[in-house]
Amino acid sequence: MEFQLEKLTKQNREIEELCKVLLVVVESEAATCTQVSRELFERSSGRRRHKWSR
């Protein structure tokens, strides 16, 4: 029984590590997505920063 518990604890730690890595990946992906969609929105709405310089 004790061995079983140790095995589970080890697995839990591994899963936690994986989750942390996934979280970092997901957060950076989300940031990229937000950036891209913001740029696309600005382009489509015609509100460019250098619009008035022409």
Side-chain angles (χ1 to χ4, degrees):
M1 189 66 203
E2 197 65 34
F3 176 69
Q4 211 49 36
L5 200 65
E6 256 178 57
K7 218 170 148 185
L8 278 174
T9 309
K10 189 175 183 285
Q11 277 184 327
N12 276 353
R13 260 189 233 119
E14 285 169 7
I15 290 171
E16 257 178 50
E17 289 303 310
L18 273 176
C19 282
K20 281 179 196 166
V21 171
L22 271 175
L23 194 64
V24 170
V25 170
V26 167
E27 281 178 347
S28 68
E29 286 293 319
T32 305
C33 258
T34 307
Q35 183 67 33
V36 168
S37 59
R38 190 179 293 133
E39 281 173 19
L40 282 176
F41 174 74
E42 282 177 5
R43 249 179 244 159
S44 65
S45 64
R47 286 188 310 156
R48 289 206 196 106
R49 282 173 208 93
H50 45 262
K51 190 182 176 187
W52 307 112
S53 60
R54 271 188 246 134

